């Protein structure tokens, strides 16, 4: 009877979780949906405490208390700019939980002599995905937090070694299915998985992390699915499938936005430095610099303005200054929108969160596809700390390494103002034709200071 | 292969279809909250950790289970808190009123 009630509680929780994800489709219903999901989680946890297998509670209380104490700062104190590494770290936690449960269940099954093939297959996959995700996520965390060097670390035969390791892991799983009680094989597989996680993220650079973090999200989900199969628990299968697919969909979207094929991503061959950068820009010409006064005057009398924030904006912490400038232009009667490229931040949707935090209303944050039609009728487009995502070479120059990448069509605007630190090249080392376009004016200097000065001048204009 | 495994494969497949349908409807605007949300929800693996930690099946199982409980609990508490914190920042343009972004009212109350 208790078992049935527990399963009904899980069913209820699964319903609330799916409802919550549906509610996430709209910003005004999202928050309520997630609160319901939290309630569903509480119901599922309380129901589990009545499980017949749970005979002692003291260690549960200890673990839960430690986890809650660790979780609070992870939820409340982490700044929004640190969101990518925060998410990477929680993938590591989730995967560690799955991997440890997998190991624990294997040990119990081994000592009890109850290991059957289907369970061992699931446990094997659980520990495999869990192990890879734990170390992979910790590596991603280290790179994003800049504890580890952010540049790609490569060595000869890297892909061959990774492929070999992966094959060895799969071989171990197959071996375990044939001979479920081989503890040595199980341990070897866990060790290899942990090693594979390290080696898989090693060659990937900091700017490619949106794809990796999403992919690790997917792996963490698959580990949860395997847990569900191993312990006959449907809610874990459902949640793991949702988690795994969400990660997969996001990483495919990210790799598209970064102009990489998904196969390229899956085999970890990405992040290699681009060596064949073209010698010169197709258009040639000089950048024309402008002054704060001139730029501000144009902004003050512009009817339609689009802000184009890039990662450089987040680096110089200038989101608030950008929003203030936008507010001042709007006060004078101008219409201000914010164009968000999918890889503007360090993880999917990151720039939206950063600007929302700065107080930009979400109906002003417009996705790439939607805003690209609006550039034609825009008086001034302001590019701040973005380079490759606004480079027209992605459309016009087949020789460019970023050719084919979806970009914001800033070049369609009537005039363009680019805020840039110096005259250097972008992250990928590609020349940007937009900067030498006759209708583009460059405002050199620190983005935060420039936005602040522009705001002051617009106010006085 | 036991019959329960087959049923589980059905559950997995259907959940997969629901997942694709649901997640594709989520706008890029909310992709970061989505990642935080799936992270929080996947903390449901806590139910597996709880059973292991409370099973009384020897010291090793208890240690592994307790660590897993702590990890999963950290994800649940941290995940739901940060998702809520993020979603509370997404506000609509206030009509007529120009700038009062400090308004803590629920975003559900939109015109």
């Amino acid at each position: 009877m208790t078992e049935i009630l527990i399963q009904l509680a899980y069913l209820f929780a699964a319903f609330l979780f799916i409802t919550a994800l549906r509610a996430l489709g709209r910003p005004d219903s999202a928050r309520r949906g997630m609160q319901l999901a939290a309630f569903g989680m509480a119901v599922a946890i309380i129901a589990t405490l009545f499980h017949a297998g749970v005979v002692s509670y003291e260690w549960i209380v200890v673990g839960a208390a430690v986890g809650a104490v660790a979780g609070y700062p992870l939820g409340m104190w982490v700044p929004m700019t640190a969101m990518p590494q925060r998410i990477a770290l929680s993938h590591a936690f989730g995967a560690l939980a799955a991997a440890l449960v997998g190991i624990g269940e294997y040990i119990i099954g081994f000592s009890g002599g109850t290991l059957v093939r289907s369970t061992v297959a699931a446990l094997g996959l659980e520990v495999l995905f869990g192990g890879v995700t734990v170390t992979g996520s910790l590596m991603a965390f280290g790179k994003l937090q800049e504890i580890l060097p952010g540049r790609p670390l490569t060595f000869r035969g890297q892909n061959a070694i990774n492929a070999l390791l992966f094959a060895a892991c799969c071989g171990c799983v197959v071996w375990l299915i044939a001979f479920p009680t081989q503890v040595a094989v199980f341990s070897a597989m866990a060790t290899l998985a942990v090693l594979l996680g390290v080696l898989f993220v090693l060659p990937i650079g900091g700017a490619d992390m949106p794809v990796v973090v999403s992919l690790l999200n997917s792996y963490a989900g698959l580990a949860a699915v395997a847990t569900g199969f191993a312990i006959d628990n449907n809610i874990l299968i459902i949640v793991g499938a949702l988690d795994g697919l969400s990660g997969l969909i996001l990483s495919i979207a990210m790799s598209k936005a970064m102009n990489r094929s998904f196969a390229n991503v899956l085999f970890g061959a990405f992040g290699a430095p681009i060596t064949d950068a073209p010698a010169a820009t197709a258009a040639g010409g000089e950048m024309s610099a402008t002054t704060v006064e001139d730029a501000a005057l144009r902004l003050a009398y512009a009817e339609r303005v689009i802000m184009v924030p890039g990662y450089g904006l987040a680096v110089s912490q200038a989101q608030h200054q950008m929003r203030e400038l936008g507010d001042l232009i709007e006060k004078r009667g101008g219409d201000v929108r914010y164009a968000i490229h999918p890889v503007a931040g360090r993880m999917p949707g990151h720039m939206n969160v950063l600007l929302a935090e700065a107080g930009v209303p979400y109906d002003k944050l417009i996705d790439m596809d939607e805003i690209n039609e609006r550039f034609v009728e825009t008086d001034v487009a302001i590019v701040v700390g973005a380079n490759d995502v606004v480079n027209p070479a992605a459309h016009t120059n087949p020789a460019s390494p970023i050719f084919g990448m979806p970009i914001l069509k800033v070049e369609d605007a009537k005039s363009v103002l680019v805020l840039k630190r110096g005259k250097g090249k972008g992250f990928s080392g590609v020349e940007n034709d937009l900067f030498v376009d006759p209708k583009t004016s460059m405002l050199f200097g620190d983005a935060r200071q420039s936005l602040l000065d522009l705001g002051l001048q617009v106010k006085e204009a | 292969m036991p019959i329960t495994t087959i049923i589980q494969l059905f559950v997995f497949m259907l959940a997969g279809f629901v997942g694709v349908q649901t997640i594709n409807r989520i706008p890029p605007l909310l992709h970061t909250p989505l990642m935080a949300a799936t992270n929080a929800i996947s903390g449901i693996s806590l139910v597996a950790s709880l059973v292991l930690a409370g099973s009384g099946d020897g010291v090793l199982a208890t240690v592994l289970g307790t660590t897993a409980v702590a990890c999963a609990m950290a994800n649940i508490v941290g995940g739901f808190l940060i998702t809520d914190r993020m979603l509370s920042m997404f506000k609509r343009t206030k009509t007529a009123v120009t700038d009062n972004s400090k308004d803590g009212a629920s975003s559900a109350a939109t015109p």
Side-chain angles (χ1 to χ4, degrees):
Chain A
M1 187 58 203
T2 329
E3 182 56 26
I4 289 170
L5 285 177
I6 291 174
Q7 292 300 329
L8 285 175
Y10 289 169
L11 182 67
F12 178 63
F15 167 74
L16 287 180
F17 291 166
I18 294 171
T19 312
L21 285 183
R22 282 190 71 85
L24 263 178
R26 283 186 24 230
D28 50 356
S29 60
R31 209 175 162 197
R32 176 61 52 85
M34 284 310 295
Q35 285 160 355
L36 284 175
F39 173 67
M41 181 68 76
V43 170
I45 293 170
I46 292 166
T48 308
L49 294 176
F50 295 99
H51 191 282
V54 180
V55 291
S56 68
Y57 290 93
E58 57 265 47
W59 288 105
I60 289 178
V61 173
V62 171
V66 170
V69 168
Y72 187 82
L74 279 173
M76 298 310 282
W77 298 350
V78 174
M80 290 298 147
T81 40
M83 195 55 64
Q85 49 267 48
R86 147 80 179 73
I87 296 283
L89 193 62
S90 62
H91 289 156
F93 279 168
L96 184 62
L100 291 180
V101 168
I103 295 169
E105 293 287 340
Y106 185 83
I107 293 169
I108 291 177
F110 180 78
S111 52
T114 54
L115 286 177
V116 292
R117 282 192 179 132
S118 57
T119 312
V120 173
L123 287 175
L125 288 174
E126 179 183 343
V127 175
L128 175 55
F129 279 116
V132 171
T133 311
V134 171
T135 47
S137 300
L138 287 177
M139 288 287 294
F141 170 78
K143 287 194 173 207
L144 287 163
Q145 187 68 36
E146 291 171 358
I147 300 169
L148 298 169
R151 68 194 151 77
L153 297 173
T154 48
F155 55 87
R156 196 178 290 274
Q158 195 159 31
N159 282 326
I161 290 176
N162 286 356
L164 207 68
L165 265 179
F166 181 67
C169 286
C170 295
C172 287
V173 176
V174 173
W175 188 295
L176 281 172
I177 294 170
F179 307 100
T181 51
Q182 298 270 353
V183 182
V185 178
F186 191 86
S187 326
M189 186 203 59
T191 316
L192 290 177
V194 166
L195 192 62
L196 183 60
V198 175
L199 290 175
F200 149 68
V201 183
L202 204 59
I204 299 164
D208 288 330
M209 282 301 154
V211 186
V212 181
V213 174
S214 316
L215 196 62
L216 289 167
N217 186 352
S218 183
Y219 290 173
L222 290 175
V225 171
T227 314
F229 275 99
I231 63 167
D232 292 338
N233 189 325
N234 282 327
I235 195 168
L236 277 173
I237 297 175
I238 293 171
V239 168
L242 295 174
D243 200 16
L245 273 163
S246 148
L248 192 67
I249 289 171
L250 289 180
S251 53
I252 292 174
M254 285 301 105
S255 48
K256 261 192 201 141
M258 296 172 84
N259 206 25
R260 297 174 197 280
S261 78
F262 189 62
N264 185 313
V265 173
L266 265 187
F267 298 107
F270 53 113
I274 296 156
T275 47
D276 56 342
T281 148
E286 282 288 307
M287 298 182 191
S288 60
T290 186
T291 61
V292 172
E293 289 76 16
D294 285 351
L297 210 60
R298 257 197 297 153
L299 289 176
Y301 293 99
E303 274 176 32
R304 288 167 190 266
V305 175
I306 295 183
M307 304 268 194
V308 183
Y311 190 64
L313 179 87
V315 171
S316 53
Q317 294 281 324
Q319 303 91 294
H320 281 90
Q321 283 73 17
M322 177 178 259
R323 198 261 305 158
E324 278 159 20
L325 177 62
D327 285 353
L328 287 166
I329 297 170
E330 286 196 319
K331 231 173 227 170
R332 295 188 56 101
D335 175 88
V336 181
R337 303 291 157 113
Y338 297 77
I340 311 293
H341 191 276
V343 291
R346 274 284 192 265
M347 68 181 290
H350 193 195
M351 187 55 72
N352 292 301
V353 175
L354 294 177
L355 289 176
E357 186 189 25
V360 178
Y362 65 79
D363 45 330
K364 303 260 178 207
L365 303 168
I366 321 283
D367 300 335
M368 178 172 63
D369 293 334
E370 205 179 317
I371 197 118
N372 268 344
E373 300 158 11
R374 294 180 63 102
F375 277 110
V376 185
E377 49 197 43
T378 295
D379 299 313
V380 189
I382 314 175
V383 178
V384 186
N387 190 343
D388 293 339
V389 298
V390 296
N391 191 342
H395 289 323
T396 55
N397 182 4
S400 172
I402 61 164
F403 184 71
M405 179 168 142
I407 57 158
L408 292 162
K409 293 181 185 163
V410 174
E411 81 269 19
D412 289 351
K414 288 174 194 154
S415 73
V416 181
L417 178 65
V418 177
L419 271 57
K420 205 167 174 306
R421 182 172 293 276
K423 295 193 176 186
K425 293 170 186 175
F427 160 75
S428 64
V430 187
E431 294 282 357
N432 196 332
D433 297 346
L434 181 74
F435 297 168
V436 296
D437 193 295
K439 67 183 168 194
T440 303
S441 345
M442 308 291 293
L443 185 57
F444 292 109
D446 175 59
R448 192 184 175 128
Q449 194 58 44
S450 296
L451 286 167
L452 213 61
D453 293 343
L454 282 172
L456 285 173
Q457 293 289 332
V458 167
K459 207 187 267 177
E460 287 170 13
Chain B
M1 197 184 277
I3 195 76
T4 43
T5 308
I6 305 287
I7 295 169
Q8 286 163 351
L9 284 172
F10 272 98
V11 172
F12 180 50
M13 182 187 74
L14 293 173
F17 280 114
V18 171
V20 172
Q21 295 289 324
T22 315
I23 288 149
N24 273 329
R25 283 186 23 172
I26 297 173
L29 175 74
L30 294 177
H31 276 174
T32 297
L34 166 66
M35 283 187 91
T38 52
N39 233 302
I41 292 174
S42 71
I44 189 72
S45 66
L46 177 65
V47 301
S49 320
L50 287 176
V51 176
L52 183 65
S55 64
D57 257 322
V59 180
L60 194 52
T62 309
V63 170
L64 292 174
T66 307
T67 316
V69 167
C71 287
M73 197 61 173
N75 266 1
I76 293 175
V77 173
F80 278 111
L81 284 177
I82 206 159
T83 312
D84 190 64
R85 209 175 118 212
M86 254 191 282
L87 291 173
S88 70
M89 298 188 308
F90 283 87
K91 293 201 174 73
R92 229 172 203 298
T93 312
K94 301 266 191 321
T95 41
V97 190
T98 38
D99 182 32
N100 56 348
S101 54
K102 284 291 161 204
D103 188 354
S106 159
S107 56
T110 46

